[in-house]
Amino acid sequence: MRQIIAGNWKMYGQLAGIAAYAEAIRNAPDHVDMLICPPFTLLDRFAAALKGSPVALGAQNCHAIPQGAHTGDISAPMLAETGATYVILGHSERRADHGETNADVRAKAEAVLAAGLTAIICVGETEAQRDAGEAEHVVRTQITHSLPENFAGVVAYEPVWAIGTGRTPTEADVTAMHAAIRAALVAQLGTNGSTINILYGGSVKPGNAASLLALPEVGGALVGGASLNPADLLAIAAAAPRG
Ligand code: PEP
């Protein structure tokens, strides 16, 4: 399976710097699928700057319906027009900041699929849930309720306590969780569940990428902070094993 290396810029980035960033990453290593998910405002410019490059574009959220009276929202068909082909959904920052539920994520994922885009659905436990021994149960529940029937796309396991903190789970914990996610996907989606890339996200850096990406059932990385530096994102991509 080819690994996917996705950069999540969160609410960072302005027009100045896009051209240089795109130039730096346009020749990403060809053994991975790489994508950048900048804020909505930069998608158009990024699409132009990356024209002819294999690096894809993604958004960080969308609305669940194609159009309507929803001030400030952006729909999946609107994203498709910008050249984006992926949409991150259910990131823990959106679940926490905007109260997004599993049902919301599922509705958005249906919209993304209907628009012909690929959803990256994020799941992950809080530190309190891990400490209480509930991590696998929480993540399995998120999978069951956030993924539409017949889902085809990407899942990202992002322990909430590892995002932006510099902390990562042990290799044994990542291995156990990715195995549990794979089992949940196969139980829910049948054989299609065995082909879904399961990304790891949470403080992935050039220094820890090789060991994290080599773990069983890790199908790539969702990279936040480190993706703002093109050299770091390229180093992470270069560390991915060949599928
Ligand atoms: C993220 O934003 O999805 C993320 C994993 O952030 P970071 O790499 O900064 O922990």
Side-chain angles (χ1 to χ4, degrees):
M1 182 183 284
R2 271 170 76 81
Q3 294 213 349
I4 297 172
I5 306 296
N8 172 19
W9 274 26
K10 313 190 189 212
M11 199 174 70
Y12 293 101
Q14 292 186 287
L15 283 177
I18 297 295
Y21 186 97
E23 194 51 38
I25 59 156
R26 65 180 301 114
N27 295 318
D30 60 9
H31 70 291
V32 298
D33 291 331
M34 185 186 274
L35 63 135
I36 302 294
C37 304
F40 293 136
T41 52
L42 302 182
L43 282 169
D44 229 26
R45 292 290 187 97
F46 245 122
L50 285 172
K51 210 173 164 71
S53 155
V55 177
L57 272 181
Q60 301 171 18
N61 177 42
C62 72
H63 198 275
I65 64 170
Q67 60 180 1
H70 297 290
T71 304
D73 277 314
I74 309 269
S75 73
M78 292 171 180
L79 293 174
E81 280 192 335
T82 68
T85 52
Y86 289 84
V87 186
I88 298 171
L89 294 175
H91 191 285
S92 62
E93 287 156 9
R94 291 208 60 86
R95 291 180 189 258
D97 295 355
H98 301 277
E100 284 188 9
T101 63
N102 292 326
D104 294 330
V105 175
R106 181 185 162 122
K108 290 176 184 213
E110 280 166 356
V112 165
L113 292 171
L117 305 175
T118 301
I120 301 174
I121 297 186
C122 301
V123 295
E125 80 286 356
T126 64
E127 186 157 32
Q129 288 165 335
R130 175 157 288 273
D131 290 347
E134 294 167 356
E136 281 191 21
H137 171 71
V138 166
V139 168
R140 270 201 307 271
T141 303
Q142 289 173 328
I143 298 272
T144 305
H145 297 288
S146 302
L147 269 56
E149 238 177 276
N150 303 324
F151 176 71
V154 179
V155 168
Y157 168 56
E158 300 207 302
V160 178
W161 51 273
I163 295 178
T165 60
R167 297 164 59 203
T168 52
T170 64
E171 292 184 7
D173 285 342
V174 174
T175 301
M177 186 60 87
H178 279 241
I181 292 172
R182 177 66 71 207
L185 291 174
V186 170
Q188 194 164 331
L189 303 169
T191 50
N192 290 346
S194 62
T195 59
I196 287 178
N197 284 64
I198 307 168
L199 313 187
Y200 168 77
S203 297
V204 178
K205 312 277 180 218
N208 61 17
S211 50
L212 286 164
L213 293 171
L215 296 173
E217 299 293 6
V218 172
L222 181 51
V223 184
S227 72
L228 294 170
N229 179 334
D232 284 357
L233 190 63
L234 287 170
I236 291 166
R242 285 174 187 275

